[in-house]
Every structure is written in structure tokens, then in C-alpha cells.
């Protein structure tokens, strides 16, 4: 049986498109939520220290447990369509990783930047939005992009809960053949698309790092 028929290719590319959609929204939401977590952990002190401790517990909980565990947990406990479930599962896990990356960026900003913002009359949130966060994200872009590739690759775990992402649709097509050649062809197709996407992101990271180094 011919593997790469128009229907099979369209089916697999549809799965690839779903992978991109899930990864995109999970990454964006994880950056937003991770930024909030990082700010709370880094800057909540004194009477607000309890919030910093809660965030620290959240981060450690998800960093020390496997992503697949939370995918399965969300799948069995949350009702919704497969995209919503997938994005939620990846967001709650990846936010913990993003929070630590962003907090590392905060630590790289000299204290004089905070003091200068305060001396100019900026409040905390204005200082964050206009001065600290732009510098922080400029510093951590390589690490953020690296985590993006991890999210894209780990989206293949969703095949285990029958989400019709790229790996799942490829397995469906693969099941139509009993020959080793067909299996290898499908795996090769999966390899090429994942590699092209993630290698492209890696090239962007390298270009950015060279640009920063030359500045």
C-alpha cells in the first residue's frame, strides 16, 4: 500500500498543524504565567513572603515530576476538547520552568536599574513594564527559545491520550502498513518535520546570540 497518498499526507500535516497550535498557545501562556510566578517569587517579601513560598512550592512540584504525569492527570480530571486539555496540561507544567528562566533573568539585572527606576518616580509595576522586563527578556531569549523546542518535542506525549497531533496521526498512517519500509518512511517524515522546525528555532537562537555578541 502506498503510504504518501494525498489523504495520508493531509492527515499527517493536519496533525502537525495541531501540534503547532497547541505548542504556540502553551508557550505564550507559559511565558505570561511564568512571568507572574517569577515576579512573585523574586519580589514578594515581608508580609507577602507566604506568596513567594507558595510559588516556590508550585515550581518545585512541577519541576520535580514528569510532564506526562500532568498530561494524564489533566486528561482524566478536566473536561474539554483535546486542544484545551493539551494547552492546559503543558501550561501548568511549562510555567514552572519558564518562571525559573525568567527569575534567572531578573537576577542578571543590576540592582542599580531598580534603584534608578525608583529614583525617577516609577512604581513597581511601571518599573517592571518599562525597564526591568524588557532587559530581562532580552537576556533570556536563548533560554526561552530552547524551552520552546522542548515544548514542541514533548507535544508528542499527547499521542498517549489520543490527541490527534502529529505523532498520533503518523501512527495512524503507520498502522496501515505492515512493511518495515512503510514504517521507516513515516518515521522519516516525522523526523524531517520535527527536525526542520526545531533546527530552524536553533538557528534563530544562534543568530540572535551572534547579533548580541557583535553589538
Amino acid at each position: 500500500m502506498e503510504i504518501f497518498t494525498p489523504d495520508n499526507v493531509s492527515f499527517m500535516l493536519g496533525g502537525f498543524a495541531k501540534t503547532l497550535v497547541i505548542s504556540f498557545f502553551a508557550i505564550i501562556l507559559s511565558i505570561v504565567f511564568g512571568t507572574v510566578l517569577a515576579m512573585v517569587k523574586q519580589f514578594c517579601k515581608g508580609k507577602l513572603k507566604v506568596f513567594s513560598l507558595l510559588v516556590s512550592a508550585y515550581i518545585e512540584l512541577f519541576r520535580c515530576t514528569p510532564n506526562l504525569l500532568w498530561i494524564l492527570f489533566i486528561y482524566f480530571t478536566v473536561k474539554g476538547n483535546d486542544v484545551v486539555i493539551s494547552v492546559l496540561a503543558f501550561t501548568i507544567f511549562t510555567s514552572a520552568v519558564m518562571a525559573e528562566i525568567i527569575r534567572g533573568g531578573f537576577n542578571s539585572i543590576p540592582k542599580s536599574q531598580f534603584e534608578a527606576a525608583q529614583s525617577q518616580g516609577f512604581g513597581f509595576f511601571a518599573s517592571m513594564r518599562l525597564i526591568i522586563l524588557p532587559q530581562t527578556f532580552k537576556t533570556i531569549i536563548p533560554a526561552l527559545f530552547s524551552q520552546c523546542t522542548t515544548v514542541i518535542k514533548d507535544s508528542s506525549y499527547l499521542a498517549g491520550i489520543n490527541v490527534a497531533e502529529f505523532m498520533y496521526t503518523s501512527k495512524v498512517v503507520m498502522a496501515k502498513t505492515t512493511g518495515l519500509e512503510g514504517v521507516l518512511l513515516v518515521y522519516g517524515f516525522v523526523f524531517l518535520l520535527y527536525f526542520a522546525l526545531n533546527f530552524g528555532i536553533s538557528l534563530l537562537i544562534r543568530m540572535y546570540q551572534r547579533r548580541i555578541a557583535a553589538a
Side-chain angles (χ1 to χ4, degrees), residues 49-191:
K49 189 175 181 180
V50 63
F51 294 105
S52 178
L53 293 175
L54 288 173
V55 167
S56 296
Y58 176 93
I59 290 173
E60 293 305 320
L61 173 66
F62 287 98
R63 289 183 66 207
C64 297
T65 51
N67 194 0
L68 182 57
L69 173 67
W70 298 105
I71 292 172
L72 293 171
F73 177 78
I74 295 298
Y75 174 72
F76 286 113
T77 58
V78 177
K79 295 186 182 295
N81 66 45
D82 57 356
V83 172
V84 172
I85 289 173
S86 301
V87 170
L88 177 61
F90 271 92
T91 298
I92 65 171
F93 180 87
T94 308
S95 293
V97 181
M98 292 294 191
E100 285 299 274
I101 293 173
I102 295 166
R103 197 172 69 86
F106 286 149
N107 290 330
S108 70
I109 305 300
K111 291 184 178 180
S112 59
Q113 294 292 313
F114 295 88
E115 295 167 354
Q118 291 177 349
S119 69
Q120 294 299 314
F122 288 104
F124 175 77
F125 290 105
S127 299
M128 285 289 110
R129 181 171 60 89
L130 299 174
I131 299 173
I132 305 304
L133 285 177
Q135 293 184 68
T136 297
F137 278 94
K138 183 178 180 181
T139 301
I140 64 174
I141 280 179
L144 284 182
F145 271 84
S146 179
Q147 184 59 33
C148 289
T149 63
T150 298
V151 172
I152 293 169
K153 289 183 292 184
D154 286 355
S155 66
S156 60
Y157 292 154
L158 297 170
I161 58 172
N162 297 326
V163 175
E165 47 73 60
F166 189 37
M167 185 61 71
Y168 178 85
T169 55
S170 300
K171 286 171 62 179
V172 171
V173 171
M174 199 181 305
K176 296 178 181 180
T177 178
T178 57
L180 177 60
E181 181 181 357
V183 172
L184 292 177
L185 285 172
V186 174
Y187 270 132
F189 183 65
V190 172
F191 164 80

